[in-house]
Every structure is written in structure tokens, then in C-alpha cells.
Amino acid sequence: MKSRKRLYEGKAKILYEGPDSDTLIVHFKDDATAYNAQKKAVIDGKGVLNNRISELIFQRLNDLGLPTHFIKRLNMREQLIHKVEIIPLEVIVRNVAAGSICKMLGLTEGEALPRSIIEFCYKDDKLGDPLISEEHITAFGWASPQELDDIIAMTTRINDFLSGLFSAVGIRLVDFKIEFGRQYDGDMVRVILADEISPDSCRLWDMKTDQKFDKDIFRRDLGDLVEGYSEVARRLGILKEPNGKPKPSKPVLVKSD
Ligand code: TMP
């Protein structure tokens, strides 16, 4: 195989140079981290599942006219994406109380929120990705007021779309984190959805039982993470389970075009 230039290695993904100057290749690793990488493990099959789940979501968003960095899936672990300049924000949407908002405001996990809430964190591992306000974002120039308006509008659409996608398969979208980037095209620049949307970056609970199908399985030692992610993939129609046959011990991915 032709050697490719590795541009960046993060906790769960590697970025390689793409075939053109305005594209990159993202590789989904099996590494899992939590609590700002204080807890680490390698979980066989996680990267393959995240690649497929994120592909399905980003392709559907592209089809809806919501611009994303996703171009196409290349193989089991890799996608071709548009090159962007990442905006240093983690945009978090909460539909139900869980995780850090419970700690911060003394809420009970699973409590309904008065309405869906958008939060911003400044992406900086050394600072522990602190929670910030819109004022910080525009004052420090991390995004312009127009970019922030675009980010909020797209985030609201993404939440509506994802909530519907998951509720149709009996999954409650509790919360999720997304990232945006600037795509440059000559003199033009626009903000598009980047990174990934997968059970690594969402809280996904069974609507009937509240069973967790997301990274909280790893964070809180709740069981088999690949089984949780596979359940999400099965319900979204990505993982096939032959009728009447026993569950395969390893995920079998459905071939797509
Ligand atoms: P939190 O409750 O820990 O703030 O997380 C909210 C949601 O955002 C949850 O679905 C996990 C996701 N998330 C990430 O994907 N990466 C992060 O670095 C953080 C802080 C949250």
C-alpha cells in the first residue's frame, strides 16, 4: 500500500493526507478514552462501528442539505472528508439531564430538562475543555457572531433530525457533542459539520428500559461496549442479523455501495 502522510493522531481517530489538497482521510481507531484520557482501553471493533454509524448519520445530513465534511466511506475504518479548519468548540446538546449537567446543577440523571439546551466548551485538553458562554466565543474570536448564529441554527436542525432518527428505532437521544469547521473555497468560507457522530459522542438510551448503548458503558463499567454500539448499528439497519440464526460473536457489517 502507498504510504500516506499522517497529519494528526487524536484519542480515537487519525487524520491522513487525502488524495487532493482539500481532502483528508480519517481513520477510526479502537482506542477508548474517558475523563480526559485518564481512563484508557483498546476495544476491538469500536472503530469499525463508529465509522459506519457516523457515515450513516453524516450521509443523511448531507442529503438533507446540511453541509458536513463527509464525502464517502473508503473502507471498514476510513472515510474521505473535506479538509476544514476546526473551530475550537465542543457544541453539546442536552435533551435529558445526564453527565456533567447533573453534577453542575444538582439534577437527577434522566430528569426532563425545561427544553433542549445548547452548551459550548472550549476545546483545550490542558484546560479540561471548560464550559464557556457565547460571550467568550465572540470576545476571544473563536467564532464570529455570524458563524455562531450558523452553528446554533445547524445544531438545532441536527438535534431535531437525530432525535427523530433514534426515536424511530426505540432509542432516546439524551445528549451529544458535535464540532464544526471552516471550509475554504477560494474567497469563500463556510461553516460545516465536522468530526463524528457516534455512540462515542452521544448518550443513547433504550426508550423502554433506559439501557445505555453509548460510551457511558466504558466510562462507568456497565458491560460490553461493542455489544451496546452493535445494538445501535443493528437498529439503524447497518448490522445484519440473519433471521433465526444465532447472534454472531463478532459484528457482521452489511455491505453498502
Ligand atoms: P458531559 O455530560 O460529560 O458534559 O457530556 C455531554 C455529551 O457530550 C455526552 O454525550 C458525551 C459528549 N462528550 C464528548 O463526546 N466529548 C467530550 O469531550 C465531552 C466533554 C462530552
Side-chain angles (χ1 to χ4, degrees):
M1 203 179 85
K2 215 176 100 193
S3 74
R4 296 174 306 191
K5 190 161 167 207
R6 195 166 66 167
L7 301 174
Y8 169 81
E9 178 154 5
K11 287 175 234 163
K13 296 188 288 290
I14 305 172
L15 282 178
Y16 294 97
E17 235 174 27
D20 307 297
S21 61
D22 55 355
T23 61
L24 298 174
I25 292 169
V26 58
H27 176 105
F28 287 75
K29 301 196 286 182
D30 282 338
D31 299 36
T33 62
Y35 311 116
N36 207 3
Q38 288 174 50
K39 180 170 178 169
K40 288 184 196 169
V42 176
I43 300 173
D44 194 18
K46 180 179 84 82
V48 173
L49 286 159
N50 281 349
N51 185 21
R52 288 300 297 269
I53 293 169
S54 200
E55 172 199 10
L56 180 140
I57 293 170
F58 275 62
Q59 186 58 61
R60 297 267 182 97
L61 289 169
N62 279 344
D63 294 344
L64 287 175
L66 195 139
T68 83
H69 73 172
F70 179 79
I71 302 171
K72 63 174 181 176
R73 184 169 59 82
L74 297 173
N75 55 50
M76 297 284 272
R77 287 188 181 274
E78 293 179 330
Q79 302 178 354
L80 182 67
I81 59 172
H82 294 292
K83 189 187 271 183
V84 296
E85 175 185 271
I86 286 287
I87 294 172
L89 300 174
E90 299 203 329
V91 182
I92 292 173
V93 182
R94 301 185 187 276
N95 297 311
V96 176
S100 64
I101 199 172
C102 294
K103 230 185 195 172
M104 185 172 72
L105 300 179
L107 306 179
T108 307
E109 184 179 83
E111 206 177 301
L113 295 170
R115 61 175 172 80
S116 297
I117 294 170
I118 301 179
E119 288 175 0
F120 301 97
C121 295
Y122 178 52
K123 256 172 80 76
D124 187 318
D125 282 343
K126 278 192 242 108
L127 298 176
D129 300 336
L131 184 66
I132 50 166
S133 72
E134 294 180 29
E135 278 283 285
H136 293 102
I137 296 170
T138 50
F140 287 103
W142 296 321
S144 69
Q146 180 59 55
E147 287 175 332
L148 194 52
D149 283 351
D150 291 349
I151 287 171
I152 292 170
M154 282 193 269
T155 299
T156 305
R157 278 184 74 194
I158 293 165
N159 186 40
D160 289 346
F161 164 74
L162 287 180
S163 296
L165 176 80
F166 285 117
S167 78
V169 295
I171 292 175
R172 177 170 296 119
L173 177 64
V174 171
D175 56 32
F176 61 96
K177 184 268 299 181
I178 46 181
E179 297 183 22
F180 293 88
R182 293 183 189 95
Q183 183 185 27
Y184 291 92
D185 182 8
D187 288 345
M188 302 281 284
V189 53
R190 65 170 183 166
V191 175
I192 65 175
L193 181 68
D195 196 48
E196 68 176 289
I197 298 178
S198 75
D200 266 8
S201 56
C202 302
R203 284 197 174 89
L204 302 168
W205 297 355
D206 184 89
M207 276 186 156
K208 291 204 187 106
T209 66
D210 283 345
Q211 187 184 346
K212 280 49 173 178
F213 298 136
D214 55 68
K215 206 161 102 176
D216 272 349
I217 299 171
F218 170 70
R219 292 189 192 97
R220 293 160 59 176
D221 296 319
L222 299 178
D224 184 342
L225 179 129
V226 165
E227 186 42 50
Y229 286 27
S230 297
E231 182 60 24
V232 175
R234 268 193 288 274
R235 292 197 193 187
L236 292 175
I238 297 167
L239 262 184
K240 196 185 247 170
E241 223 167 84
N243 265 349
K245 293 212 180 128
K247 256 192 220 170
S249 58
K250 287 229 165 188
V252 176
L253 291 164
V254 181
K255 238 182 148 196
S256 73
D257 41 25

